[in-house]
């Protein structure tokens, strides 16, 4: 495992009076009608790093993206609400910098007291951020003396704030969140404890194949469910009705299944419906799905089967819900799996759960954070890292 220098590896006075840029992940869901943040988990998670730097006497400059504004200012995707919430959480004024490229701001930041906190507006309001533009990186970097990455979820992107600007600093450090992510995910990459159970769900397998290929060798069982299962079932010649599948992944799925049929576990029954809205047309069917029906959740026999595998101890990795859990009618499979993973953790398993929707599903299942060894903030980044890729935003760190 590669080790990265963490903020606590320097003495506290290293930060005194210094301007520290922290790339955070404040990509939170916003309710634009009510003008509120629906869920502030990602803000709360950044607090240890922010607190540490405030106490060390640094001027803390926070940068993040929110949604996909595609290089345009968009008031629905402004981080201004986040500044307000953060200020409540740390009980301290948070300066909101609406445009750091404005000449006045670098001066203003210089003049702040030690221990001040500034949040920059959504970095993706500038195309240069995702283009990793060098001039933009220089401008961003000129705001600070030290660079910290605490946004694991965007570390697989070589953007200006995750990569380009970091190159300009002598000190490039990991925040507490990134440090914890690396420690736990490394447990799945190195010598893992067996039995190692991998659970893959969600809507698409295309983004997950490299990680899956890597995990297939190591895992003792790999459960494939949710939308991802239907490409596998179709590849095996099973009728999947109108369920989602990926045409271009059929050959891959067929090949992988024939190689690892002893490890791969697929759903054996399904909750199907004529369409997502027609919840009164729901049926439980065994393996074959009738034409005109689509699977939206796993069935009770599958839940029982999965429960018998997700037991602990050992190691468990889960990414991707078992069905369209966002609707209560289709949430049972995902909720059962979430609780099975929690129970296995109580029995001594090391569990790592990642992905935006999967974490939301844990909440819906009322599984507590303390019942999972590590909830990863990364989806794509997590899978790329597990698949053996180096993440630019991590590689760049000292
Ligand atoms: P994560 O965000 O945790 O990485 P994904 O983005 O891979 O997870 O997938 C989440 C989505 O997959 C959910 O929004 C869910 O509704 C959808 N999904 C799960 N099962 C099915 C299914 N059988 N049919 C259609 N969509 C599904
Ligand atoms: Mg997702």
């Amino acid at each position: 495992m590669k080790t990265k220098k963490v903020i606590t590896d320097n003495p506290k006075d290293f930060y005194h009076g210094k301007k520290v840029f922290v790339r955070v992940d404040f990509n939170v869901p916003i309710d634009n009608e009510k003008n509120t943040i629906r869920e502030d988990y990602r803000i709360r998670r950044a607090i240890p790093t922010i607190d540490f730097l405030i106490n060390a006497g640094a001027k803390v400059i926070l940068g993040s993206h929110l949604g996909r504004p595609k290089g345009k200012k968009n008031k629905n995707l402004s981080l201004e609400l986040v500044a307000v919430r953060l200020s409540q959480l740390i009980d301290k004024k948070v300066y909101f910098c609406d445009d750091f490229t404005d000449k006045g701001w670098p001066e203003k930041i210089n003049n702040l007291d030690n221990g001040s906190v500034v949040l920059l507006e959504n970095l993706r309001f500038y195309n240069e951020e995702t283009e990793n533009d060098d001039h933009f990186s220089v401008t961003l970097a000129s705001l600070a003396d030290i660079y910290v990455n605490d946004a694991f979820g965007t570390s697989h992107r070589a953007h200006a704030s995750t990569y380009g600007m970091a190159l300009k600093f002598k000190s490039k450090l990991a925040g507490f969140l990134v440090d914890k992510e690396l420690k736990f995910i490394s447990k799945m990459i190195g010598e893992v404890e067996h039995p190692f159970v991998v659970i893959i769900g969600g809507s698409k397998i295309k983004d997950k194949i490299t990680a899956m290929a890597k995990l297939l060798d190591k895992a003792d069982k790999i459960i494939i469910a949710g939308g991802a299962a239907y490409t596998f079932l179709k590849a095996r010649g099973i009728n999947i009705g109108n369920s989602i599948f990926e045409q271009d992944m059929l050959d891959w799925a067929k090949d992988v299944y024939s190689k690892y049929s002893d490890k791969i576990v697929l759903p054996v029954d399904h909750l199907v419906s004529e369409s997502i809205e027609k919840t009164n047309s729901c049926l439980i069917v065994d393996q074959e799905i009738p034409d005109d029906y689509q699977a939206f959740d796993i069935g009770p026999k599958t839940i029982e089967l999965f429960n018998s595998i997700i037991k602990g101890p050992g190691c468990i990795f889960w990414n991707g819900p078992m069905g369209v859990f966002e609707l209560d009618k289709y949430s049972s499979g995902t909720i059962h799996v979430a609780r099975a993973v929690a129970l296995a953790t109580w029995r001594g398993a090391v569990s790592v759960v990642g992905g935006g929707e999967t974490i939301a599903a844990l909440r819906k299942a009322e599984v507590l954070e303390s019942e999972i060894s590590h909830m990863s903030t990364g989806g794509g980044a997590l899978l790329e890292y597990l698949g053996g890729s180096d993440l630019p935003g991590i590689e760049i760190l000292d």
Side-chain angles (χ1 to χ4, degrees):
M1 175 197 164
K2 280 179 218 150
T3 48
K4 292 293 174 186
K5 198 163 177 185
V6 187
I7 44 177
T8 38
D9 290 339
N10 286 314
K12 262 196 172 169
D13 61 7
F14 179 78
Y15 303 98
H16 192 84
K18 298 269 173 54
K19 292 173 287 175
V20 182
F21 180 96
V22 188
R23 178 50 160 104
V24 286
D25 180 2
F26 285 168
N27 184 23
V28 294
I30 303 260
D31 185 331
N32 284 119
E33 263 161 39
K34 295 189 191 136
N35 206 33
T36 53
I37 295 167
R38 250 190 256 137
E39 162 61 62
D40 64 3
Y41 180 63
R42 290 188 175 181
I43 309 176
R44 285 183 277 130
R45 286 195 79 162
I47 303 269
T49 295
I50 297 171
D51 275 350
F52 172 85
L53 292 170
I54 293 172
N55 291 332
K59 299 173 189 179
V60 187
I61 306 162
L62 305 168
S64 176
H65 71 287
L66 175 65
R68 295 173 188 268
K70 305 224 160 91
K72 287 203 191 73
K73 288 211 161 81
N74 175 343
K75 75 174 190 339
N76 288 341
L77 295 175
S78 169
L79 282 166
E80 197 163 2
L81 281 177
V82 176
V84 175
R85 178 65 60 90
L86 178 63
S87 158
Q88 292 161 351
L89 292 170
I90 60 177
D91 198 18
K92 190 178 180 71
K93 180 175 172 70
V94 172
Y95 295 89
F96 181 67
C97 167
D98 56 354
D99 186 3
F100 75 92
T101 60
D102 185 293
K103 299 284 178 285
W105 268 102
E107 187 62 24
K108 257 186 248 177
I109 293 173
N110 272 334
N111 293 333
L112 292 176
D113 292 335
N114 292 346
S116 297
V117 180
V118 188
L119 174 62
L120 308 183
E121 179 57 289
N122 191 345
L123 294 172
R124 290 196 191 159
F125 281 2
Y126 311 87
N127 265 327
E128 293 90 336
E129 159 66 1
T130 48
E131 288 163 358
N132 190 25
D133 179 82
D134 193 56
H135 179 70
F136 184 81
S137 294
V138 169
T139 314
L140 254 183
S142 70
L143 298 175
D145 310 304
I146 297 166
Y147 178 85
V148 173
N149 177 8
D150 216 18
F152 181 76
T154 41
S155 295
H156 59 318
R157 310 263 185 233
H159 291 171
S161 66
T162 56
Y163 187 76
M165 76 175 291
L167 288 168
K168 320 287 177 197
F169 289 87
K170 226 171 99 186
S171 275
K172 307 173 277 288
L173 309 161
F176 293 128
L177 199 51
V178 161
D179 182 47
K180 183 171 182 247
E181 294 271 6
L182 295 179
K183 286 203 173 111
F184 270 96
I185 301 165
S186 299
K187 285 189 203 275
M188 315 267 133
I189 297 175
E191 287 288 309
V192 339
E193 279 192 38
H194 292 274
F196 181 26
V197 176
V198 173
I199 310 158
I200 301 286
S203 46
K204 285 194 196 154
I205 45 175
K206 200 176 289 152
D207 325 327
K208 310 190 180 183
I209 52 169
T210 337
M212 269 166 92
K214 194 92 180 189
L215 292 168
L216 274 163
D217 277 326
K218 284 201 160 168
D220 298 288
K221 286 285 175 212
I222 175 157
I223 290 174
I224 301 171
Y230 299 97
T231 304
F232 277 85
L233 291 171
K234 191 175 172 72
R236 292 181 53 207
I238 292 162
N239 193 359
I240 61 162
N242 289 332
S243 306
I244 57 163
F245 74 101
E246 287 152 275
Q247 181 70 41
D248 52 343
M249 297 308 300
L250 284 173
D251 288 340
W252 180 84
K254 197 171 177 172
D255 189 44
V256 165
Y257 190 81
S258 67
K259 254 192 224 149
Y260 296 100
S261 58
D262 55 328
K263 289 189 178 182
I264 294 176
V265 185
L266 294 166
V268 292
D269 62 346
H270 319 270
L271 176 65
V272 301
S273 165
E274 284 171 17
S275 73
I276 196 159
E277 305 85 21
K278 282 197 185 168
T279 46
N280 57 350
S281 71
C282 279
L283 295 175
I284 302 281
V285 299
D286 284 340
Q287 203 61 287
E288 303 269 340
I289 297 169
D291 296 340
D292 306 326
Y293 279 83
Q294 189 177 343
F296 293 111
D297 195 9
I298 53 175
K301 283 184 203 157
T302 306
I303 291 175
E304 216 172 290
L305 172 67
F306 290 0
N307 273 335
S308 72
I309 296 168
I310 309 167
K311 280 207 140 137
C315 216
I316 298 170
F317 172 73
W318 178 24
N319 168 252
M322 304 289 101
V324 183
F325 75 98
E326 291 91 340
L327 300 178
D328 291 346
K329 190 88 190 179
Y330 310 124
S331 65
S332 168
T334 306
I335 288 176
H336 276 92
V337 164
R339 292 184 181 158
V341 173
L343 196 56
T345 311
W346 282 114
R347 291 207 179 97
V350 174
S351 54
V352 174
V353 179
E357 267 94 19
T358 315
I359 298 293
L362 281 177
R363 294 239 178 73
K364 184 153 184 166
E366 292 176 359
V367 168
L368 304 178
E369 178 151 14
S370 57
E371 293 180 297
I372 301 293
S373 313
H374 180 61
M375 284 194 196
S376 174
T377 48
L382 175 65
L383 289 163
E384 283 193 28
Y385 197 61
L386 282 172
S389 310
D390 285 334
L391 309 182
I394 301 298
E395 281 303 294
I396 192 78
L397 303 177
D398 297 340

